[in-house]
């Protein structure tokens, strides 16, 4: 995504989007981040974790809104403890809560957000029109923001976060409380920004399908600690001996025969989940199907869902 | 939804540094403030005293040049006893006094109008941000808390500066132009600096106070009511306290006069009251001249005006401008027997000015603490 220079900072591109080294942050007796070390590469990154896992504290630390007790780290190649303002120039943030600059129309809202980052009035106004068109609020740009619907407000916040073309966009629960159409709009925009516009994303959500729809990488936190992190496709690893089989006919006799041969066969909605014993290959499935004169319509190795990855990480913690 | 009609273009413009980031907040606040029709009307009305100040200074410039053009006006002022003929006879000698009193009158009226402007534009500044949860939007951008607060204070400073400091500068330039005398710079530059300093005192004191009040509630109406309470109620309380004190002193003075037979009346004695004593016909004299002398003496330690917020501002302003000294100079032109009355009538509270400065400093400190606490506690993402 970044070649040799980062897009707007002109700084040498960091291979890592951000990295924490033994970061600890406590609020009284509650440890929000517990000796957290993580390095996240550029791209679309999902931030997962149950309530109280430290996601929000992590975002606060990234933006320099909270001082960590211990540890160090970098965001876009800059020390997050000493260069908060420089970091925030390169980061766009969409908060979870409904938050507005009151008594302005849409285009003024976004232009004001640009001015706060340091854009000139003229640039920010011109750019505000562009990004409002992009997020689909072109028709509503002269309406008071207080009259916007929840979905529109969310897109407005997104527009105000990307007005200065940030290198990293942080979305905190962006689809919370939205109707399916509005949710799909936000996901579509986030996907487009990450995949087609070269913007890195930190997508904090507890809706796993949303994270899966947008992100390539995932960081799972629990109790302030890193539970797992990595490429989603890699985490959803293949199960070597477990297959998902779809048959044209009834699966029950097929399952019985496989069980007799030492396999574990479980009938699901419209498929069969088969675990083959040690020393046998998937050829066994073809042989049994031929023996019973059944037609296999679909055969593929089983892959963990993100939900399974998430739950497994929590269990291990 | 046609979200990709326009497409997304990367932006390669330049971002300014951090130093002037607060100015964006000020600009925005001024824009929003100017949207109110009532506010615009009051702002316009607040410029009328400025026009009067400019007119007065220009008029005095012409008086100094013995212009026939202003002779009827001067005659009218003398006949109305608004101007002493001795002052007109040597206008340059009394230049500083006249200019000072004009500035004092202007800034006194602007002090009241500033309070009205603040009640119209100030309560929304932080309370609306709290109500609409806008602080995360500010603080997640390259802004420090101090930038946010300075930006909000800048909104107050812009409006109050427009009706206090800017008119002082413009009127000064006009007065200079109409007098065509460069010695005016030598005589009055201190007054210009003092008026700017007084304007800054009003801006910083009232600005931080209204911001602190605004940060205490999400409802602007409560903030406005609180401000009115500080401005009007504190003024009323101070006036009542002073009146009660004055009545008590008058009564004590009268009782003293009743208790001891007075000496023979002095030529300065003006009104006198005779009250027959029960069972006797001894005449006691109670001179209002003596009472006024007591009043002037008592004013030096009368702390009651300190209760009023605007009285404190006014006391500091009079000290900065040197208003009382000017009144004392002009009182020399009055007959000897009327000087004390003259001074009593025109000079304000005479307690040490640093008492008021201390009160204002305390309010400023308290406001700063409230702001620090309120905005810090919201320096978070919920």
């Amino acid at each position: 995504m970044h070649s040799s220079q980062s897009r707007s900072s002109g700084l040498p591109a960091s291979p890592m989007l951000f990295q924490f080294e033994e970061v600890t942050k406590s609020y009284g007796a509650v440890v929000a981040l517990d000796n957290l070390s993580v390095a996240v590469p550029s791209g679309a990154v999902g931030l997962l974790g149950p309530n109280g896992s430290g996601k929000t504290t992590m975002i606060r630390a990234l933006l320099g809104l909270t001082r960590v007790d211990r540890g160090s780290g970098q965001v876009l190649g800059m020390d997050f403890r000493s260069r908060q303002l420089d970091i925030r120039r390169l980061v766009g943030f969409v908060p979870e809560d409904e938050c507005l600059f009151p008594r302005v129309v849409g285009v003024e809202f976004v232009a004001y957000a640009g001015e706060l980052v340091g854009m000139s009035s003229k640039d920010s106004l011109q750019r505000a029109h562009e990004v409002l068109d992009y997020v689909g609020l072109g028709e509503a740009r002269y309406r008071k923001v207080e009259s916007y619907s929840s979905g529109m407000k969310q897109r407005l916040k997104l527009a105000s976060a990307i007005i200065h073309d940030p290198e990293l966009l942080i979305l905190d629960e962006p689809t919370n409380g939205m109707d399916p159409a509005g949710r799909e709009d936000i996901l579509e925009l986030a996907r487009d920004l990450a995949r087609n516009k070269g913007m890195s994303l930190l997508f904090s959500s507890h809706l796993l399908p949303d994270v899966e729809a947008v992100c390539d990488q995932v960081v799972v936190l629990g109790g302030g600690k890193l539970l797992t992190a990595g490429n989603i496709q890699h985490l959803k690893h293949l199960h070597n001996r477990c297959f998902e089989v779809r048959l044209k006919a009834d699966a029950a006799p097929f399952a019985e025969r496989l069980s007799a041969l030492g396999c574990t066969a479980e009938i699901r909605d419209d498929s069969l989940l088969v675990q083959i014993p040690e020393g046998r290959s998937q050829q066994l499935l073809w042989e049994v199907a031929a023996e019973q004169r059944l037609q296999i319509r679909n055969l593929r190795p089983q892959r963990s869902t993100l939900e399974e990855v998430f739950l497994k990480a929590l269990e291990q913690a | 939804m046609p979200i990709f009609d326009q497409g997304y273009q990367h932006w390669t413009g330049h971002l300014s540094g951090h130093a002037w980031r607060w100015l964006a907040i000020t600009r925005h606040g001024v824009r929003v403030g100017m949207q109110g029709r009532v506010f615009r009307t009051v702002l316009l009305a607040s410029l009328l005293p400025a026009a009067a100040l400019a007119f007065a200074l220009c008029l005095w410039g012409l008086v100094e040049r013995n212009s026939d053009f202003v002779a009827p006006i001067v005659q009218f002022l003398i006949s109305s006893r608004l101007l002493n003929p001795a002052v007109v006879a040597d206008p340059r000698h009394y230049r500083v006094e006249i200019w000072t009193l004009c500035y004092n009158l202007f800034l006194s009226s602007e002090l009241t109008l500033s309070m009205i402007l603040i009640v119209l534009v100030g309560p929304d500044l932080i309370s609306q941000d709290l109500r609409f949860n806008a602080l995360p939007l500010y603080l997640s951008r390259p802004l420090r808390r101090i930038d946010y607060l300075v930006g909000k204070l800048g909104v107050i400073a812009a409006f109050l500066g427009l009706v206090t400091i800017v008119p002082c500068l413009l009127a000064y330039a006009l007065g200079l132009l109409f007098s065509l005398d460069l010695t005016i710079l030598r005589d009055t530059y201190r007054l210009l600096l003092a008026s700017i300093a007084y304007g800054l005192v009003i801006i910083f004191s009232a600005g931080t106070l209204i911001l602190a009040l605004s940060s205490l509630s999400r409802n602007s109406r409560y903030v406005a009511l609180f401000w009115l309470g500080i401005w009007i109620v504190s003024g009323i309380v101070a006036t009542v306290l002073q009146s009660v004190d004055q009545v008590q002193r008058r009564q004590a003075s009268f009782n003293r006069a009743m208790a001891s037979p007075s000496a023979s009346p002095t030529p300065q004695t003006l009104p006198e009251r005779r009250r027959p004593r029960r069972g006797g016909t001894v005449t006691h004299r109670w001179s209002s001249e003596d009472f006024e002398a007591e009043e002037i003496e008592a004013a030096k330690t009368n702390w009651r005006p300190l209760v009023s917020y605007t009285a404190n501002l006014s006391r500091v302003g009079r000290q900065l401008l040197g208003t009382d000294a000017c009144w004392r100079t002009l009182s020399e032109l009055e007959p000897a027997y009327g000087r004390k009355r003259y001074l009593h009538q025109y000079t304000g509270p005479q307690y040490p000015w640093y008492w008021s400065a201390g009160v204002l400093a305390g309010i400023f400190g308290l406001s700063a603490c409230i702001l620090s606490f309120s905005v810090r506690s919201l320096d978070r993402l919920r």
Side-chain angles (χ1 to χ4, degrees):
Chain A
M1 185 166 58
H2 301 283
S3 53
S4 60
Q5 295 266 306
S6 60
R7 238 186 14 244
S8 43
S9 65
L11 297 167
S14 164
M16 289 297 162
L17 195 58
F18 64 89
Q19 55 189 53
F20 281 8
E21 286 164 26
E22 298 176 348
V23 171
T24 298
K25 171 68 186 176
S26 304
Y27 297 101
V30 179
V31 181
L33 296 178
D34 188 4
N35 217 21
L36 177 66
S37 294
V38 62
V40 177
S42 300
V45 182
L47 184 58
L48 293 174
N51 290 338
S53 61
K55 299 194 298 290
T56 301
T57 305
M58 187 178 186
I59 292 175
R60 284 188 206 178
L62 283 173
L63 290 167
L65 290 176
T66 190
R67 281 188 183 175
V68 298
D69 302 333
R70 207 171 53 242
S72 61
Q74 292 189 326
V75 179
L76 299 170
M78 291 176 278
D79 190 331
F80 69 76
R81 294 167 305 171
S82 58
R83 298 185 62 189
Q84 300 100 325
L85 295 183
D86 292 328
I87 289 170
R88 286 186 224 158
R89 279 163 65 113
L90 304 180
V91 175
F93 176 57
V94 181
E96 175 191 0
D97 298 310
E98 184 176 311
C99 38
L100 299 170
F101 300 123
R103 297 171 64 185
V104 290
V105 298
V107 70
E108 288 172 342
F109 182 103
V110 180
Y112 182 39
E115 286 181 46
L116 289 177
V117 181
M119 295 171 77
S120 68
S121 303
K122 189 181 165 190
D123 280 1
S124 61
L125 188 61
Q126 183 181 343
R127 176 83 176 156
H129 285 287
E130 289 175 15
V131 293
L132 280 172
D133 282 329
Y134 173 67
V135 301
L137 289 176
E139 299 291 323
R141 70 186 76 191
Y142 295 117
R143 270 173 56 187
K144 287 272 186 192
V145 294
E146 290 93 330
S147 71
Y148 280 21
S149 68
S150 298
M152 291 167 81
K153 283 175 184 168
Q154 201 65 14
R155 279 185 277 151
L156 185 72
K157 283 193 286 182
L158 179 60
S160 66
I162 61 173
I163 185 170
H164 61 298
D165 192 23
E167 292 191 19
L168 168 61
L169 177 65
I170 299 176
L171 297 146
D172 192 10
E173 306 280 3
T175 54
N176 251 11
M178 296 184 70
D179 59 49
R183 173 175 162 269
E184 191 49 47
D185 290 343
I186 290 290
L187 294 179
E188 186 66 27
L189 285 165
R191 234 185 337 250
D192 183 59
L193 287 168
R195 293 182 184 168
N196 304 325
K197 315 302 182 199
M199 195 178 284
S200 291
L201 244 62
L202 182 61
F203 194 102
S204 169
S205 178
H206 59 265
L207 299 173
L208 303 183
D210 289 1
V211 171
E212 204 164 359
V214 173
C215 303
D216 311 315
Q217 312 278 330
V218 71
V219 172
V220 183
L221 296 182
K225 293 179 177 171
L226 178 68
L227 300 185
T228 187
N231 186 290
I232 291 178
Q233 292 307 316
H234 290 164
L235 291 171
K236 289 164 61 178
H237 62 278
L238 297 175
H239 295 257
N240 291 336
R241 322 204 67 76
C242 207
F243 294 89
E244 198 176 295
V245 185
R246 282 206 181 115
L247 300 165
K248 194 175 180 184
D250 183 16
F254 186 70
E256 279 175 26
R257 177 65 183 141
L258 286 173
S259 298
L261 292 170
C263 299
T264 306
E266 182 188 335
I267 298 175
R268 289 191 170 174
D269 295 338
D270 58 344
S271 64
L272 193 64
L273 197 63
V274 182
Q275 187 163 6
I276 297 170
E278 210 49 58
R280 303 298 295 267
S281 72
Q282 62 186 24
Q283 184 60 32
L284 175 66
L285 299 173
W286 295 110
E287 287 169 6
V288 173
E291 178 189 310
Q292 297 196 339
R293 295 181 172 278
L294 294 172
Q295 186 181 351
I296 293 179
R297 303 293 297 270
N298 190 4
L299 172 65
R300 64 177 184 186
Q302 194 208 352
R303 191 179 277 273
S304 302
T305 63
L306 186 59
E307 188 177 353
E308 285 169 335
V309 172
F310 179 64
L311 292 174
K312 191 176 174 187
L314 286 182
E315 278 170 16
Q316 286 173 349
Chain B
M1 187 185 66
I3 57 172
F4 301 126
D5 284 355
Q6 178 79 15
Y8 180 88
Q9 304 294 319
H10 288 300
W11 183 73
T12 53
H14 173 70
L15 295 178
S16 66
H18 298 306
W20 295 92
R21 195 61 49 79
W22 58 271
L23 203 54
I25 299 176
T26 298
R27 272 200 308 263
H28 177 75
V30 169
R31 270 199 304 264
V32 171
M34 290 298 284
Q35 287 173 0
R37 192 174 296 168
V38 175
F39 179 77
R40 284 201 304 269
T41 307
V42 175
L43 188 64
L44 207 61
S46 301
L47 295 175
L48 293 179
L53 172 68
F55 175 75
L57 297 187
C58 293
L59 182 71
W60 195 253
L62 294 173
V63 169
E64 286 189 4
R65 290 167 58 194
N66 284 324
S67 169
D68 292 339
F69 182 67
V70 295
I73 302 174
V74 171
Q75 205 56 44
F76 170 75
L77 293 174
I78 291 172
S79 62
S80 310
R81 303 190 66 182
L82 291 170
L83 208 56
N84 194 308
V87 175
V88 181
D90 187 5
R92 281 195 171 79
H93 182 72
Y94 293 100
R95 173 191 284 162
V96 175
E97 283 74 21
I98 296 298
W99 275 55
T100 301
L101 296 181
C102 286
Y103 268 87
N104 183 65
L105 189 60
F106 163 71
L107 288 168
S108 298
S109 56
E110 288 300 354
L111 178 59
T112 305
L113 290 165
S114 295
M115 297 295 122
I116 299 172
L117 286 176
I118 288 173
V119 83
L120 292 174
V121 77
D124 284 351
L125 285 175
I126 295 182
S127 71
Q128 289 296 296
D129 285 346
L130 298 180
R131 184 177 175 186
F132 289 93
N133 195 27
L135 278 182
L137 291 176
Y138 283 105
L139 299 174
S140 61
R141 292 187 160 76
L143 282 168
R144 294 162 296 189
R145 277 191 314 140
I146 190 71
D147 294 324
Y148 174 77
L149 295 175
V150 169
K152 294 291 180 182
L153 184 62
V155 180
I156 298 288
F159 290 127
L160 296 197
L162 183 67
V163 299
T164 55
I165 295 175
V166 173
C168 285
L169 292 169
L170 292 178
Y172 190 88
L174 276 174
L176 192 63
L177 286 174
F178 272 77
S179 70
L180 293 176
D181 183 359
L182 283 178
T183 60
I184 218 164
L185 282 173
R186 181 201 62 203
D187 293 341
T188 58
Y189 79 94
R190 285 176 197 276
L191 176 65
L192 182 66
L193 295 179
S195 61
I196 292 170
Y198 183 34
L200 291 175
V201 167
I202 295 174
I203 287 168
F204 278 101
S205 176
T208 49
L209 180 57
I210 189 65
L211 288 185
L213 296 180
S214 183
S215 71
L216 289 176
S217 172
R218 291 165 184 252
N219 190 325
S220 306
R221 287 179 186 171
Y222 295 150
V223 177
L225 286 174
F226 207 166
W227 176 257
L228 289 173
I230 287 176
W231 169 33
I232 295 175
V233 176
S234 73
I236 291 172
V237 170
T239 306
V240 168
L241 285 174
Q242 285 183 90
S243 301
V244 169
D245 180 54
Q246 193 178 33
V247 167
Q248 285 175 342
R249 268 188 284 110
R250 188 183 288 269
Q251 189 63 42
S253 172
F254 182 78
N255 290 343
R256 276 198 302 276
M258 291 294 113
S260 61
S262 71
S264 58
T266 59
Q268 289 85 358
T269 303
L270 289 169
E272 62 184 45
R273 294 182 186 179
R274 290 158 189 264
R275 288 193 182 180
R277 263 193 168 180
R278 196 177 293 172
T281 56
V282 180
T283 300
H284 298 274
R285 295 180 185 281
W286 182 58
S287 146
S288 67
E289 181 78 0
D290 291 342
F291 177 67
E292 276 154 11
E294 286 178 21
E295 282 287 278
I296 289 172
E297 198 56 36
K300 290 178 183 171
T301 54
N302 187 0
W303 53 267
R304 287 155 192 85
L306 293 173
V307 176
S308 164
Y309 176 64
T310 46
N312 285 302
L313 285 171
S314 185
R315 178 72 187 92
V316 170
R318 281 190 299 109
Q319 182 65 30
L320 283 169
L321 296 172
T323 312
D324 291 344
C326 293
W327 283 120
R328 276 193 286 276
T329 305
L330 291 178
S331 73
E332 299 296 322
L333 300 173
E334 296 293 315
Y337 66 87
R339 276 180 203 158
K340 284 182 179 171
R341 167 174 291 202
Y342 184 87
L343 281 174
H344 179 57
Q345 186 176 352
Y346 291 112
T347 56
Q350 295 297 302
Y351 61 83
W353 67 273
Y354 46 82
W355 288 7
S356 279
V359 170
L360 293 179
I363 291 173
F364 180 82
L366 182 64
S367 303
C369 285
I370 291 172
L371 283 171
S372 174
F373 176 77
S374 304
V375 177
R376 183 193 295 276
S377 66
L378 288 154
D379 192 356
R380 67 187 196 271
L381 309 171
R382 291 193 306 166

